[in-house]
Amino acid sequence: MLFCAYKPLTNAIVAVKRNVIDCIPRNVLLLNKHSDRQISQYPVVDHHFDAVVVGAGGAGLRAAFGLSEAGFNTACVTKLFPTRSHTVAAQGGINAALGNMEADDWRWHFYDTVKGSDWLGDQDAIHYMTEQAPASVVELENFGMPFSRTEDGKIYQRAFGGQSLKFGKGGQAHRCCCVADRTGHSLLHTLYGRSLRFDTSYFVEYFALDLLMEDGECKGVIAFCMEDGSIHRFRSKNTVIATGGYGRTYFSCTSAHTSTGDGNAMVTRAGLPCQDLEFVQFHPTGIYGAGCLITEGCRGEGGILINSEGERFMERYAPNAKDLASRDVVSRSMTIEIREGRGCGPEKDHVYLQLHHLPPQQLAVRLPGISETAMIFAGVEVTKEPIPVLPTVHYNMGGVPTNYKGQVITHVGGEDKVVPGLYACGEAACASVHGANRLGANSLLDLVVFGRACALTIAETGTPGEKLSPLKPNAGEESVANLDKIRFAEGTIRTSEIRLNMQKTMQNHAAVFRTGDLLKEGCDKMDAIYQSMEDIKTFDRGIVWNTDLVESLELQNLMLNAVQTIHSAEARKESRGAHAREDYQDRMDELDYAKPLAGQEKKSFDQHWRKHTLSTVDIKTGKVTLGYRPVIDRSLDQEECSAIPPAIRSY
Amino acid sequence: SINVLIVVNRVYQVVLRPTLACPVSTRGYKGEASDDSRGDLIEIPLPPWTEKDGETMDMKRRRLLFQSRKRGMLENCILLSLFAKKYLNTMSETQLRQYDRLINEPSNDWDIYYWATEAQPVPNVYAGEIMDLLKEFTKNKDQEQRLDAPNLEYLDKGSQ
């Protein structure tokens, strides 16, 4: 692991980096601290790279590896050590139509994903992802990922929710490939290890502050090193955002405390739109309180959800799939039960996941970890008692809008326009392959396919060693000023208080089931909480390993994600995928697909909701502005794979 | 007696099967217990972890605080930040170094969780005072509510 460490006191460079042109601090930004006349100095180090990747999770590592392999001098800037990215939590697997368990076709996977997205997914991106899936898995295998095997040595594939054969008519498909129970870890380990052989430069525990934008073009990233408090400007013609999701805007989520939407916020501050942020996936079974995930595998093994009356209520909501219906269907059903008064516990605010009817042997062998998690975080003995569970925020379908090549886009004059120099992949991006709802095991696939796509697109459109265009000498000044402001903030409300206010508001007003009044109230509350950031109070004034500062900067990022999420949700007057509204229970498409199409008149763009939300924020006032862009309904090649026209979604 | 022999044979086979199959059989924690050949860990070695030189104890504590709170998955975030809240500021230098190695050397965050919950045996390099403290802490004998990681304000001397 190579890094450039700068010691401010002695002006010495500890390790010289290959191709770093300016390791000597050139610009020293001076800022006045008006309250006690102290001057804060922030030495700035400039780096030149062919490509910079922000984030070292599955998508970031795949992009960094692909770029390094193609000969680009690549920097990977990450606030966490690569194998500690949230990807490591993934224990499910990667979907790919390899056909090892039964005859399979990527077009069936394409159909499942389009249907799963409730027709909000862009079919060209979904075509690209599902077609590339088998090749991507084989490629990972060649890189050294030890996929679990069948007895005859082929990659073992298992069933996962929402995957079917023959366009939904052939029963359950088995296309999820895994590495025992550590698919996420193996992916990170393999890609990180391989990328080091190609000399990727990792800047670990560097917090990315903002994009360096000039004339609508992205020219790099500014970040600060937590180890010594120095500021670093990573200048590059190609910047890839792979910073993950923003689950931490909610009180109860399955995400680590690192999922703070840093990339989305950087893009928002750059004046660019984010897409579809109102689509937040709720996983049906997160432990009540802590939010730790209880895998779908539990229900796959025979676990059932019951209400306060001891009824297996999923039989009513999804007669065929029952407890294994799509995640949004199960989450909605659980919420309806709670709303109608059949919730469990003293406050009747959750339901139970029952496993104690299963033989203890089966529990011990197939689901051993569940017992520990249930005891440690919920105090429950699974062989005797049911586990209290609640739909918990799990994934963000929305993010930075890109085309299928990974290039970030804006929508100007009714046309998609590429933002030069900027790319995005992974959960941070919105290609959009998941649309309104993501299928399980499609996320790891999304990471590798689009991480690779960003690397390929950059390799196609540029060459290693290209000269960089000039950058204003004081670029990034506002970011450092903001850092300083937060570091010395002396308001009256603590970071943790503001954060809790935001999380509780989102949890109460923009959860699984949403209604107009509740959303409107939530929007007003969130706007006020956004303003309260002006009054923030931090307590740690240091610059080295200042966790309070980092968590406060993360709160700023979360805030931007939260306001866009709740305003987009309030505006969308329909129910689609993970966005479910009690007051608008049906999908509002351009045609009514529940009835015969002949003779129907197509609704105009303004009158229907089968479109992507684009949201921007005025940073000073916190005002959210919404726009829309059409869903892409054509596949990449109509002959190879015909697009799926919208239909009613039932399982 | 023939029946007895058959039964014994079958039990014997079941017991023997895991070791005859692939090299290492890990417990499927949140899904199926498929065999893990660990080929990536063997063939793609990562640069070894090294202790940081020239760090004061205070700096070590500050760094370890950040590294305790920001982990790969929620379970570790909650467990380690609560552990850090209780013990980090009173650890001796040896203990700090043990803790540093424990939370920074393992590449799979799940391993730390498995060791803390005693789901898997602790490798010798990590066994010691700190590991014992962590295991005891995880058991939650006082049955305190562990709904989330604590806020940082317990560190704010000004508020005390």
Side-chain angles (χ1 to χ4, degrees):
Chain A
M1 186 166 77
L2 300 168
F3 61 90
C4 176
Y6 167 68
K7 288 200 168 106
L9 297 173
T10 61
N11 274 12
I13 310 306
V14 173
V16 175
K17 268 225 40 23
R18 176 174 79 97
N19 288 357
V20 166
I21 294 177
D22 296 297
C23 225
I24 306 153
R26 242 221 256 119
N27 310 317
V28 176
L29 301 180
L30 298 168
L31 292 154
N32 282 320
K33 269 273 290 113
H34 50 266
S35 66
D36 56 8
R37 307 233 181 94
Q38 221 177 14
I39 294 179
S40 334
Q41 285 193 29
Y42 293 96
V44 177
V45 178
D46 274 355
H47 307 259
H48 294 196
F49 282 96
D50 293 328
V52 176
V53 178
V54 185
L61 287 179
R62 183 62 187 84
F65 169 71
L67 288 163
S68 305
E69 196 187 29
F72 284 76
N73 188 12
T74 310
C76 189
V77 177
T78 165
K79 68 182 182 187
L80 301 168
F81 191 76
T83 55
R84 213 175 294 156
S85 303
H86 195 38
T87 309
V88 79
Q91 297 187 309
I94 309 183
N95 280 334
L98 292 168
N100 288 343
M101 310 304 283
E102 69 249 316
D104 203 355
D105 189 334
W106 65 262
R107 293 171 192 81
W108 301 339
H109 185 190
F110 169 79
Y111 168 80
D112 291 331
T113 308
V114 172
K115 177 181 172 187
S117 78
D118 219 350
W119 280 277
L120 197 71
D122 292 322
Q123 297 202 26
D124 60 345
I126 299 178
H127 173 161
Y128 184 74
M129 184 178 83
T130 51
E131 189 180 10
Q132 296 290 319
S136 302
V137 169
V138 170
E139 195 178 51
L140 288 173
E141 190 186 18
N142 291 336
F143 292 158
M145 251 178 96
F147 285 100
S148 295
R149 307 248 160 212
T150 59
E151 263 146 24
D152 27 337
K154 293 195 276 195
I155 294 180
Y156 170 71
Q157 296 183 280
R158 59 174 143 138
F160 227 89
Q163 301 294 325
S164 70
L165 299 166
K166 303 207 177 107
F167 303 105
K169 303 188 179 74
Q172 177 72 42
H174 298 79
R175 46 175 88 102
C176 176
C177 315
C178 61
V179 176
D181 63 344
R182 59 174 188 97
T183 316
H185 170 248
S186 185
L187 181 67
L188 292 178
H189 180 104
T190 306
L191 291 174
Y192 179 52
R194 291 272 179 232
S195 70
L196 289 176
R197 299 210 186 157
F198 287 106
D199 257 344
T200 312
S201 311
Y202 283 93
F203 293 85
V204 178
E205 284 156 350
Y206 278 64
F207 189 86
L209 297 168
D210 272 304
L211 300 173
L212 298 170
M213 302 287 294
E214 206 168 90
D215 304 323
E217 189 184 330
C218 182
K219 297 193 173 179
V221 167
I222 182 167
F224 101 97
C225 173
M226 290 186 240
E227 188 178 6
D228 64 12
S230 54
I231 306 289
H232 294 253
R233 295 195 304 194
F234 295 90
R235 293 182 52 192
S236 173
K237 264 193 137 225
N238 305 295
T239 306
V240 182
I241 296 177
T243 50
Y246 59 94
R248 284 281 137 200
T249 44
Y250 284 79
F251 182 69
S252 185
C253 70
T254 65
S255 334
H257 283 259
T258 50
S259 293
T260 50
D262 300 329
N264 292 358
M266 285 175 14
V267 159
T268 304
R269 284 193 288 265
L272 297 168
C274 285
Q275 180 171 274
D276 294 342
L277 291 188
E278 66 268 40
F279 294 101
V280 177
Q281 184 172 67
F282 290 78
H283 193 283
T285 49
I287 288 191
Y288 173 67
C292 303
L293 188 61
I294 306 232
T295 181
E296 214 161 305
C298 267
R299 288 173 280 136
E301 291 294 330
I304 59 177
L305 292 164
I306 54 174
N307 59 19
S308 58
E309 292 166 13
E311 181 205 355
R312 184 185 184 178
F313 57 85
M314 283 312 299
E315 280 177 344
R316 267 187 287 125
Y317 294 96
N320 293 325
K322 297 194 219 219
D323 299 86
L324 279 177
S326 178
R327 288 174 182 181
D328 51 339
V329 172
V330 180
S331 297
R332 258 184 261 196
S333 314
M334 290 166 76
T335 311
I336 297 177
E337 290 296 298
I338 295 170
R339 287 253 171 148
E340 291 183 358
R342 291 185 289 281
C344 309
E347 290 178 45
K348 295 183 166 304
D349 55 355
H350 54 269
V351 297
Y352 282 140
L353 173 64
Q354 184 180 290
L355 297 172
H356 57 78
H357 59 285
L358 302 172
Q361 254 298 65
Q362 187 183 2
L363 269 179
V365 170
R366 295 306 193 105
L367 304 166
I370 306 299
S371 330
E372 270 88 352
T373 312
M375 178 51 86
I376 296 172
F377 297 104
V380 153
E381 170 73 68
V382 296
T383 49
K384 299 195 181 93
E385 309 161 272
I387 312 174
V389 295
L390 194 61
T392 306
V393 172
H394 181 58
Y395 185 82
N396 300 107
M397 272 71 74
V400 181
T402 71
N403 55 24
Y404 76 94
K405 299 190 201 157
Q407 297 169 311
V408 171
I409 54 178
T410 51
H411 196 68
V412 176
E415 292 286 311
D416 287 339
K417 204 163 96 60
V418 169
V419 175
L422 193 57
Y423 300 79
C425 53
E427 194 175 346
C430 186
S432 160
V433 283
H434 309 300
N437 173 59
R438 172 177 78 80
L439 296 178
N442 264 359
S443 178
L444 286 178
L445 177 62
D446 176 10
L447 305 186
V448 290
V449 169
F450 289 99
R452 178 173 172 270
C454 285
L456 288 177
T457 311
I458 293 174
E460 257 169 34
T461 56
T463 41
E466 238 178 295
K467 201 164 177 307
L468 294 177
S469 59
L471 184 68
K472 276 205 306 282
N474 63 346
E477 211 172 41
E478 311 84 37
S479 315
V480 183
N482 180 55
L483 179 96
D484 189 70
K485 186 177 88 166
I486 296 291
R487 180 178 160 204
F488 292 106
E490 277 175 10
T492 57
I493 323 176
R494 297 178 170 287
T495 306
S496 55
E497 258 181 78
I498 304 182
R499 185 170 55 224
L500 191 64
N501 289 343
M502 170 192 70
Q503 290 175 334
K504 288 244 145 115
T505 306
M506 293 300 284
Q507 192 74 34
N508 293 334
H509 296 269
V512 180
F513 239 120
R514 306 166 169 179
T515 85
D517 297 333
L518 215 51
L519 283 169
K520 191 82 198 45
E521 203 189 322
C523 287
D524 296 335
K525 279 193 189 168
M526 270 315 302
D527 289 340
I529 298 171
Y530 185 90
Q531 292 305 324
S532 76
M533 287 289 287
E534 290 297 310
D535 201 15
I536 194 172
K537 177 179 157 76
T538 52
F539 66 87
D540 190 339
R541 305 284 177 236
I543 193 56
V544 177
W545 293 116
N546 185 343
T547 308
D548 187 30
L549 174 61
V550 172
E551 291 191 2
S552 306
L553 291 171
E554 286 175 338
L555 178 59
Q556 280 190 321
N557 294 341
L558 284 172
M559 200 62 79
L560 286 172
N561 285 283
V563 292
Q564 289 180 75
T565 302
I566 202 164
H567 279 272
S568 308
E570 196 272 323
R572 183 173 283 266
K573 295 182 168 50
E574 64 154 0
S575 285
R576 184 182 296 270
H579 175 70
R581 284 191 58 158
E582 262 176 295
D583 45 350
Y584 294 92
Q585 294 197 357
D586 299 312
R587 248 169 45 186
M588 179 97 71
D589 302 316
E590 66 279 19
L591 293 167
D592 188 348
Y593 292 97
K595 303 198 177 81
L597 300 181
Q600 280 193 46
E601 212 182 287
K602 244 191 183 166
K603 291 201 181 81
S604 71
F605 190 68
D606 302 322
Q607 290 179 316
H608 73 89
W609 281 102
R610 202 167 73 82
K611 52 197 185 188
H612 293 297
T613 309
L614 290 174
S615 49
T616 48
V617 183
D618 176 334
I619 303 299
K620 283 206 183 38
T621 61
K623 181 161 159 30
V624 177
T625 312
L626 300 174
Y628 297 91
R629 73 175 257 269
V631 174
I632 297 176
D633 287 321
R634 317 164 306 274
S635 72
L636 286 177
D637 183 339
Q638 282 295 122
E639 274 170 31
E640 215 176 59
C641 166
S642 36
I644 315 283
I648 292 302
R649 186 169 161 249
S650 70
Y651 285 99
Chain B
S1 52
I2 299 175
N3 290 345
V4 169
L5 275 174
I6 292 169
V7 164
V8 166
N9 198 27
R10 290 226 175 95
V11 165
Y12 182 73
Q13 278 177 347
V14 162
V15 163
L16 210 49
R17 205 187 300 131
T19 52
L20 282 180
C22 278
V24 174
S25 185
T26 51
R27 234 157 53 144
Y29 212 80
K30 278 187 176 180
E32 294 165 22
S34 343
D35 289 332
D36 184 353
S37 72
R38 302 172 83 80
D40 54 344
L41 303 175
I42 299 165
E43 283 161 45
I44 311 174
L46 296 184
W49 172 83
T50 47
E51 245 190 275
K52 274 200 208 287
D53 290 325
E55 221 182 7
T56 62
M57 292 242 294
D58 187 48
M59 276 305 123
K60 241 197 228 320
R61 281 187 230 273
R62 287 170 70 87
R63 174 171 61 82
L64 290 172
L65 176 67
F66 176 80
Q67 292 171 336
S68 300
R69 292 177 71 85
K70 301 290 184 189
R71 307 300 305 183
M73 76 279 192
L74 181 60
E75 289 83 344
N76 273 7
C77 282
I78 299 180
L79 212 51
L80 292 180
S81 32
L82 286 169
F83 185 75
K85 177 176 182 181
K86 187 161 183 191
Y87 291 111
L88 191 58
N89 286 341
T90 52
M91 282 187 196
S92 67
E93 184 164 354
T94 327
Q95 289 175 324
L96 280 176
R97 286 161 70 196
Q98 268 186 20
Y99 187 58
D100 190 359
R101 186 169 197 184
L102 173 65
I103 68 173
N104 283 313
E105 188 174 24
S107 117
N108 189 353
D109 239 25
W110 285 110
D111 287 338
I112 305 176
Y113 185 66
Y114 297 167
W115 301 330
T117 56
E118 301 190 89
Q120 278 180 18
V122 180
N124 287 336
V125 288
Y126 303 116
E129 260 184 281
I130 290 296
M131 193 66 236
D132 293 338
L133 268 179
L134 182 59
K135 282 196 270 193
E136 206 43 47
F137 180 78
T138 304
K139 286 194 184 100
N140 197 8
K141 290 210 170 119
D142 299 332
Q143 281 183 308
E144 52 175 26
Q145 269 208 322
R146 289 183 172 168
L147 299 182
D148 201 3
N151 295 320
L152 278 178
E153 274 77 21
Y154 67 92
L155 290 172
D156 184 2
K157 312 270 183 321
S159 72
Q160 281 147 16

